[in-house]
Amino acid sequence: MEWRIMLKQLQKKDSFVFNAVKTFKLEKAEENKIKVLFPSDSAKVEFDKISGEFFNHFKRKIQNHIIEIEYVRDVENLKIEVVTKRKMFEKFIEKNPLLKDLDDLMKFDLT
């Protein structure tokens, strides 16, 4: 329930991060362990930006501060992958390694 509330707030506040994390699934693995299923590494990077705030709130809400978080890549339910400029550029580098030299020379801003 807290996850859905956070997603609604995030949709209004930061739509880019919302689109990256809306496919994440949280499952209770054990009494003090939560599994976070994520579709891609780039989506997890966006999730890392908000995960501290979310889990701090969640632990206070349920009054259990010994919860462990386990991240598991969920390749079966891969629907949407957030492709950043850096990620696209790295794919181009695989095809043409000279682009890496060009990036080193020109210092492209791929944020």
Side-chain angles (χ1 to χ4, degrees):
M1 186 170 147
E2 291 299 316
W3 178 248
R4 286 187 291 241
I5 291 170
M6 191 275 306
L7 282 177
K8 285 181 183 178
Q9 292 172 349
L10 192 59
Q11 187 175 16
K12 294 174 186 172
K13 191 168 84 173
D14 191 348
S15 61
F16 182 77
V17 176
F18 168 76
N19 286 326
V21 301
K22 69 182 178 184
T23 59
F24 279 50
K25 293 186 177 111
L26 276 67
E27 297 177 353
K28 183 177 178 182
E30 296 172 18
E31 188 61 32
N32 292 321
K33 188 180 238 181
I34 295 177
K35 262 187 178 176
V36 177
L37 303 171
F38 64 95
S40 68
D41 292 330
S42 57
K44 185 179 179 305
V45 168
E46 295 302 320
F47 179 72
D48 288 342
K49 294 177 183 177
I50 60 162
S51 64
E53 181 182 336
F54 171 71
F55 286 121
N56 283 337
H57 168 74
F58 182 74
K59 289 175 183 180
R60 271 186 270 127
K61 183 83 172 182
I62 63 170
Q63 297 178 353
N64 185 349
H65 294 280
I66 59 172
I67 291 178
E68 296 176 19
I69 312 300
E70 177 184 354
Y71 293 97
V72 178
R73 186 163 182 165
D74 187 16
V75 292
E76 292 177 11
N77 293 324
L78 179 62
K79 293 181 183 177
I80 301 171
E81 181 179 352
V82 176
V83 180
T84 62
K85 291 178 185 177
R86 171 60 62 191
K87 193 86 164 168
M88 280 192 290
F89 191 73
E90 288 171 359
K91 288 181 182 181
F92 286 130
I93 288 174
E94 290 174 10
K95 293 178 183 178
N96 187 350
L98 291 176
L99 287 174
K100 173 115 177 73
D101 296 335
L102 185 61
D103 182 39
D104 293 340
L105 180 67
M106 302 295 288
K107 305 286 188 232
F108 295 130
D109 181 19
L110 299 171
T111 55

